[in-house]
Amino acid sequence: MKSKITTFLLTIVVIFTVFITSCARNRDYVEAEVIDAAKSLIAKSARLNEIYWGEGIAHDQDKSGANGAYYRASAASLSRFGIATIDDLTRLTRETFTVDMANDIINNSLSSISDEDGIRIYARYYQKYSALDDTPECIMVYDKAEVFLKDIVIYNYDTVRVSRVKGESIFVSIEVTVINDEGKSQSSALEVELIEEDAGFRLNSPTYKRYTDDDYYNELQNKI
């Protein structure tokens, strides 16, 4: 009887171990497809980095169309970014980042953040509609938005390669050159996470890089 119980328990352990191992197994992928997707997504993200955290969409200086610290977006700037409305910007964001990451970006940048004391952070952009109907009229740009990303990042798309796989996540490495406002530059590898969702591959990590004089940090980055 004891032998049968031992055998039964061992069988359960083996089945459980096989189940856990199979669940933790790294996903299969076609490298060429991942690399192509990564190149396209990183290029899209470069635009979004500038829109959300960099200098952003430029605005006209005409105060007659302003609403407090919000000014009408420059048509030339919108054309450069390839968008015309907030819906376009939202769509581009969701085409680039995972659902969770896109939601965070949209909620934090396209909506004001308030607490019991009132508005703490103003939305960087909002959509203005026609007074006659719901036709989008223009994007309004917050003139006092803080610029977090001031460095120029140049992506060398020819260097994109799969660096590792962990579960459902595929990580790619790309060589980038960062140029600061003093004209100093440094090159290093940037690792980016991709996850395949129902709509296709999406980025699940930031793609920006900052210039730093921290030699230890730079050494670590170059080992990615």
Side-chain angles (χ1 to χ4, degrees), residues 68-115:
Y70 286 93
Y71 292 77
R72 296 173 66 98
S74 159
S77 183
L78 291 174
S79 177
R80 182 172 75 84
F81 286 120
I83 61 174
T85 65
I86 289 294
D87 282 345
D88 292 338
L89 178 55
T90 299
R91 188 179 307 111
L92 178 61
T93 304
R94 295 196 182 282
E95 289 174 352
T96 305
F97 297 101
T98 58
V99 171
D100 288 343
M101 196 166 177
N103 286 339
D104 285 342
I105 293 171
I106 291 168
N107 291 337
N108 290 328
S109 297
L110 304 183
S111 299
S112 295
I113 300 175
S114 304
D115 56 23

Side-chain angles (χ1 to χ4, degrees), residues 99-164:
V99 171
D100 288 343
M101 196 166 177
N103 286 339
D104 285 342
I105 293 171
I106 291 168
N107 291 337
N108 290 328
S109 297
L110 304 183
S111 299
S112 295
I113 300 175
S114 304
D115 56 23
E116 62 275 7
D117 297 323
I119 297 178
R120 185 161 53 86
I121 300 176
Y122 284 86
R124 183 154 193 183
Y125 312 103
Y126 76 84
Q127 182 68 57
K128 181 180 180 181
Y129 294 90
S130 169
L132 301 177
D133 52 35
D134 292 332
T135 303
E137 183 178 315
C138 65
I139 291 178
M140 300 296 288
V141 180
Y142 186 51
D143 183 51
K144 297 181 179 179
E146 185 174 358
V147 177
F148 294 100
L149 304 180
K150 300 180 180 180
D151 298 333
I152 297 172
V153 181
I154 301 172
Y155 300 88
N156 185 350
Y157 294 100
D158 291 336
T159 65
V160 174
R161 63 178 180 81
V162 175
S163 54
R164 60 192 175 98

Side-chain angles (χ1 to χ4, degrees), residues 199-213:
F201 282 107
R202 296 292 186 268
L203 297 175
N204 196 46
S205 64
T207 60
Y208 51 78
K209 193 93 165 177
R210 290 189 177 93
Y211 182 94
T212 175
D213 289 321

